[in-house]
mmCIF file of all heavy atoms in Angstrom:
data_model
loop_
_atom_site.group_PDB
_atom_site.id
_atom_site.type_symbol
_atom_site.label_atom_id
_atom_site.label_comp_id
_atom_site.label_asym_id
_atom_site.label_seq_id
_atom_site.Cartn_x
_atom_site.Cartn_y
_atom_site.Cartn_z
ATOM 1 N N ASN G 6 -15.099 -3.324 6.710
ATOM 2 C CA ASN G 6 -15.957 -2.646 7.704
ATOM 3 C C ASN G 6 -17.307 -2.271 7.095
ATOM 4 O O ASN G 6 -17.839 -1.174 7.342
ATOM 5 C CB ASN G 6 -15.283 -1.384 8.250
ATOM 6 C CG ASN G 6 -14.193 -1.704 9.258
ATOM 7 O OD1 ASN G 6 -13.824 -2.861 9.440
ATOM 8 N ND2 ASN G 6 -13.682 -0.682 9.907
ATOM 9 N N THR G 7 -17.866 -3.167 6.317
ATOM 10 C CA THR G 7 -19.086 -2.860 5.561
ATOM 11 C C THR G 7 -20.172 -3.882 5.856
ATOM 12 O O THR G 7 -19.915 -5.084 5.929
ATOM 13 C CB THR G 7 -18.788 -2.839 4.057
ATOM 14 O OG1 THR G 7 -17.784 -1.845 3.798
ATOM 15 C CG2 THR G 7 -20.035 -2.498 3.254
ATOM 16 N N ILE G 8 -21.386 -3.360 5.999
ATOM 17 C CA ILE G 8 -22.583 -4.177 6.152
ATOM 18 C C ILE G 8 -23.426 -3.998 4.889
ATOM 19 O O ILE G 8 -23.611 -2.868 4.427
ATOM 20 C CB ILE G 8 -23.422 -3.726 7.365
ATOM 21 C CG1 ILE G 8 -22.583 -3.728 8.640
ATOM 22 C CG2 ILE G 8 -24.655 -4.607 7.531
ATOM 23 C CD1 ILE G 8 -22.202 -5.073 9.146
ATOM 24 N N TYR G 9 -23.924 -5.083 4.351
ATOM 25 C CA TYR G 9 -24.744 -5.032 3.141
ATOM 26 C C TYR G 9 -26.180 -5.429 3.454
ATOM 27 O O TYR G 9 -26.441 -6.200 4.384
ATOM 28 C CB TYR G 9 -24.197 -5.975 2.084
ATOM 29 C CG TYR G 9 -22.787 -5.669 1.655
ATOM 30 C CD1 TYR G 9 -21.707 -6.424 2.120
ATOM 31 C CD2 TYR G 9 -22.525 -4.618 0.779
ATOM 32 C CE1 TYR G 9 -20.416 -6.144 1.731
ATOM 33 C CE2 TYR G 9 -21.230 -4.327 0.389
ATOM 34 C CZ TYR G 9 -20.178 -5.089 0.873
ATOM 35 O OH TYR G 9 -18.902 -4.798 0.488
ATOM 36 N N LEU G 10 -27.094 -4.907 2.649
ATOM 37 C CA LEU G 10 -28.479 -5.369 2.694
ATOM 38 C C LEU G 10 -28.893 -5.674 1.261
ATOM 39 O O LEU G 10 -29.084 -4.754 0.459
ATOM 40 C CB LEU G 10 -29.407 -4.338 3.312
ATOM 41 C CG LEU G 10 -30.841 -4.827 3.520
ATOM 42 C CD1 LEU G 10 -30.902 -5.918 4.590
ATOM 43 C CD2 LEU G 10 -31.774 -3.671 3.894
ATOM 44 N N GLN G 11 -28.968 -6.945 0.943
ATOM 45 C CA GLN G 11 -29.450 -7.372 -0.367
ATOM 46 C C GLN G 11 -30.963 -7.453 -0.300
ATOM 47 O O GLN G 11 -31.511 -8.206 0.519
ATOM 48 C CB GLN G 11 -28.865 -8.735 -0.738
ATOM 49 C CG GLN G 11 -29.357 -9.286 -2.054
ATOM 50 C CD GLN G 11 -28.899 -8.473 -3.245
ATOM 51 O OE1 GLN G 11 -27.750 -8.054 -3.308
ATOM 52 N NE2 GLN G 11 -29.801 -8.224 -4.190
ATOM 53 N N MET G 12 -31.628 -6.690 -1.149
ATOM 54 C CA MET G 12 -33.090 -6.615 -1.135
ATOM 55 C C MET G 12 -33.609 -7.155 -2.456
ATOM 56 O O MET G 12 -33.349 -6.580 -3.513
ATOM 57 C CB MET G 12 -33.542 -5.168 -0.926
ATOM 58 C CG MET G 12 -32.938 -4.521 0.308
ATOM 59 S SD MET G 12 -33.614 -2.873 0.628
ATOM 60 C CE MET G 12 -33.028 -1.995 -0.810
ATOM 61 N N ASN G 13 -34.319 -8.257 -2.388
ATOM 62 C CA ASN G 13 -34.907 -8.886 -3.574
ATOM 63 C C ASN G 13 -36.425 -8.788 -3.518
ATOM 64 O O ASN G 13 -36.998 -8.539 -2.451
ATOM 65 C CB ASN G 13 -34.488 -10.347 -3.652
ATOM 66 C CG ASN G 13 -32.987 -10.523 -3.793
ATOM 67 O OD1 ASN G 13 -32.297 -9.681 -4.370
ATOM 68 N ND2 ASN G 13 -32.472 -11.628 -3.280
ATOM 69 N N SER G 14 -37.038 -8.994 -4.661
ATOM 70 C CA SER G 14 -38.515 -8.986 -4.746
ATOM 71 C C SER G 14 -39.099 -7.751 -4.063
ATOM 72 O O SER G 14 -40.023 -7.842 -3.253
ATOM 73 C CB SER G 14 -39.091 -10.259 -4.113
ATOM 74 O OG SER G 14 -38.559 -11.403 -4.743
ATOM 75 N N LEU G 15 -38.551 -6.612 -4.414
ATOM 76 C CA LEU G 15 -38.973 -5.372 -3.753
ATOM 77 C C LEU G 15 -40.431 -5.048 -4.049
ATOM 78 O O LEU G 15 -40.943 -5.325 -5.144
ATOM 79 C CB LEU G 15 -38.064 -4.221 -4.179
ATOM 80 C CG LEU G 15 -36.703 -4.211 -3.457
ATOM 81 C CD1 LEU G 15 -35.696 -3.371 -4.225
ATOM 82 C CD2 LEU G 15 -36.862 -3.712 -2.036
ATOM 83 N N LYS G 16 -41.073 -4.459 -3.045
ATOM 84 C CA LYS G 16 -42.485 -4.091 -3.121
ATOM 85 C C LYS G 16 -42.629 -2.579 -2.904
ATOM 86 O O LYS G 16 -41.767 -1.963 -2.263
ATOM 87 C CB LYS G 16 -43.262 -4.822 -2.031
ATOM 88 C CG LYS G 16 -43.131 -6.329 -2.043
ATOM 89 C CD LYS G 16 -43.859 -6.946 -0.858
ATOM 90 C CE LYS G 16 -43.738 -8.451 -0.836
ATOM 91 N NZ LYS G 16 -44.462 -9.051 0.309
ATOM 92 N N PRO G 17 -43.708 -1.998 -3.387
ATOM 93 C CA PRO G 17 -43.907 -0.559 -3.140
ATOM 94 C C PRO G 17 -43.849 -0.196 -1.661
ATOM 95 O O PRO G 17 -43.366 0.884 -1.307
ATOM 96 C CB PRO G 17 -45.291 -0.306 -3.731
ATOM 97 C CG PRO G 17 -45.419 -1.321 -4.829
ATOM 98 C CD PRO G 17 -44.731 -2.545 -4.298
ATOM 99 N N GLU G 18 -44.282 -1.091 -0.796
ATOM 100 C CA GLU G 18 -44.255 -0.790 0.640
ATOM 101 C C GLU G 18 -42.859 -0.818 1.240
ATOM 102 O O GLU G 18 -42.677 -0.483 2.411
ATOM 103 C CB GLU G 18 -45.174 -1.752 1.416
ATOM 104 C CG GLU G 18 -44.953 -3.219 1.120
ATOM 105 C CD GLU G 18 -45.929 -3.744 0.069
ATOM 106 O OE1 GLU G 18 -46.185 -3.054 -0.953
ATOM 107 O OE2 GLU G 18 -46.422 -4.888 0.269
ATOM 108 N N ASP G 19 -41.866 -1.198 0.453
ATOM 109 C CA ASP G 19 -40.474 -1.110 0.898
ATOM 110 C C ASP G 19 -39.904 0.290 0.690
ATOM 111 O O ASP G 19 -38.773 0.568 1.113
ATOM 112 C CB ASP G 19 -39.601 -2.117 0.153
ATOM 113 C CG ASP G 19 -39.971 -3.557 0.452
ATOM 114 O OD1 ASP G 19 -40.226 -3.873 1.630
ATOM 115 O OD2 ASP G 19 -40.003 -4.366 -0.500
ATOM 116 N N THR G 20 -40.653 1.150 0.042
ATOM 117 C CA THR G 20 -40.196 2.519 -0.193
ATOM 118 C C THR G 20 -39.968 3.233 1.131
ATOM 119 O O THR G 20 -40.855 3.297 1.985
ATOM 120 C CB THR G 20 -41.234 3.279 -1.029
ATOM 121 O OG1 THR G 20 -41.317 2.682 -2.323
ATOM 122 C CG2 THR G 20 -40.848 4.752 -1.166
ATOM 123 N N ALA G 21 -38.758 3.758 1.309
ATOM 124 C CA ALA G 21 -38.373 4.405 2.566
ATOM 125 C C ALA G 21 -36.958 4.934 2.431
ATOM 126 O O ALA G 21 -36.252 4.611 1.469
ATOM 127 C CB ALA G 21 -38.442 3.410 3.725
ATOM 128 N N VAL G 22 -36.540 5.715 3.425
ATOM 129 C CA VAL G 22 -35.121 6.029 3.584
ATOM 130 C C VAL G 22 -34.534 4.950 4.489
ATOM 131 O O VAL G 22 -35.080 4.666 5.555
ATOM 132 C CB VAL G 22 -34.910 7.422 4.199
ATOM 133 C CG1 VAL G 22 -33.420 7.701 4.357
ATOM 134 C CG2 VAL G 22 -35.557 8.491 3.320
ATOM 135 N N TYR G 23 -33.453 4.359 4.035
ATOM 136 C CA TYR G 23 -32.810 3.275 4.768
ATOM 137 C C TYR G 23 -31.550 3.794 5.461
ATOM 138 O O TYR G 23 -30.739 4.508 4.856
ATOM 139 C CB TYR G 23 -32.466 2.129 3.823
ATOM 140 C CG TYR G 23 -33.676 1.308 3.440
ATOM 141 C CD1 TYR G 23 -34.644 1.810 2.576
ATOM 142 C CD2 TYR G 23 -33.860 0.021 3.943
ATOM 143 C CE1 TYR G 23 -35.769 1.077 2.234
ATOM 144 C CE2 TYR G 23 -34.974 -0.739 3.604
ATOM 145 C CZ TYR G 23 -35.922 -0.204 2.754
ATOM 146 O OH TYR G 23 -37.029 -0.942 2.415
ATOM 147 N N TYR G 24 -31.407 3.412 6.720
ATOM 148 C CA TYR G 24 -30.281 3.822 7.547
ATOM 149 C C TYR G 24 -29.631 2.587 8.164
ATOM 150 O O TYR G 24 -30.279 1.566 8.370
ATOM 151 C CB TYR G 24 -30.743 4.704 8.711
ATOM 152 C CG TYR G 24 -31.521 5.934 8.345
ATOM 153 C CD1 TYR G 24 -32.897 5.879 8.153
ATOM 154 C CD2 TYR G 24 -30.892 7.168 8.222
ATOM 155 C CE1 TYR G 24 -33.627 7.007 7.845
ATOM 156 C CE2 TYR G 24 -31.608 8.317 7.915
ATOM 157 C CZ TYR G 24 -32.967 8.228 7.722
ATOM 158 O OH TYR G 24 -33.687 9.364 7.423
ATOM 159 N N CYS G 25 -28.362 2.724 8.524
ATOM 160 C CA CYS G 25 -27.745 1.695 9.355
ATOM 161 C C CYS G 25 -27.313 2.337 10.668
ATOM 162 O O CYS G 25 -27.035 3.531 10.736
ATOM 163 C CB CYS G 25 -26.568 1.027 8.653
ATOM 164 S SG CYS G 25 -25.250 2.140 8.152
ATOM 165 N N ASN G 26 -27.269 1.519 11.693
ATOM 166 C CA ASN G 26 -26.863 1.982 13.015
ATOM 167 C C ASN G 26 -26.696 0.767 13.900
ATOM 168 O O ASN G 26 -27.000 -0.368 13.494
ATOM 169 C CB ASN G 26 -27.907 2.930 13.616
ATOM 170 C CG ASN G 26 -27.313 3.918 14.600
ATOM 171 O OD1 ASN G 26 -26.472 3.561 15.416
ATOM 172 N ND2 ASN G 26 -27.730 5.171 14.504
ATOM 173 N N THR G 27 -26.197 0.982 15.092
ATOM 174 C CA THR G 27 -26.118 -0.125 16.040
ATOM 175 C C THR G 27 -27.541 -0.621 16.321
ATOM 176 O O THR G 27 -28.504 0.134 16.216
ATOM 177 C CB THR G 27 -25.458 0.318 17.346
ATOM 178 O OG1 THR G 27 -26.234 1.359 17.939
ATOM 179 C CG2 THR G 27 -24.040 0.815 17.098
ATOM 180 N N ALA G 28 -27.633 -1.870 16.633
ATOM 181 C CA ALA G 28 -28.966 -2.468 16.848
ATOM 182 C C ALA G 28 -28.950 -3.318 18.109
ATOM 183 O O ALA G 28 -28.003 -4.078 18.316
ATOM 184 C CB ALA G 28 -29.370 -3.303 15.636
ATOM 185 N N PRO G 29 -29.985 -3.201 18.922
ATOM 186 C CA PRO G 29 -31.220 -2.475 18.629
ATOM 187 C C PRO G 29 -31.251 -1.028 19.122
ATOM 188 O O PRO G 29 -32.265 -0.349 18.955
ATOM 189 C CB PRO G 29 -32.260 -3.292 19.401
ATOM 190 C CG PRO G 29 -31.511 -3.734 20.615
ATOM 191 C CD PRO G 29 -30.119 -4.032 20.140
ATOM 192 N N SER G 30 -30.154 -0.526 19.695
ATOM 193 C CA SER G 30 -30.249 0.769 20.375
ATOM 194 C C SER G 30 -30.155 1.974 19.447
ATOM 195 O O SER G 30 -30.662 3.040 19.769
ATOM 196 C CB SER G 30 -29.159 0.882 21.437
ATOM 197 O OG SER G 30 -27.884 0.793 20.817
#
């Protein structure tokens, strides 16, 4: 029951708090 987000080549503009939720609502 897990969703992953693999983030490569990270940039300073990727700085944020990341959340998961139903999409798009």
Side-chain angles (χ1 to χ4, degrees):
N6 284 9
T7 301
I8 305 290
Y9 300 103
L10 186 68
Q11 177 67 42
M12 306 186 295
N13 298 329
S14 303
L15 282 161
K16 304 176 180 181
E18 51 264 43
D19 295 318
T20 295
V22 180
Y23 284 72
Y24 304 86
C25 58
N26 207 318
T27 61
S30 61

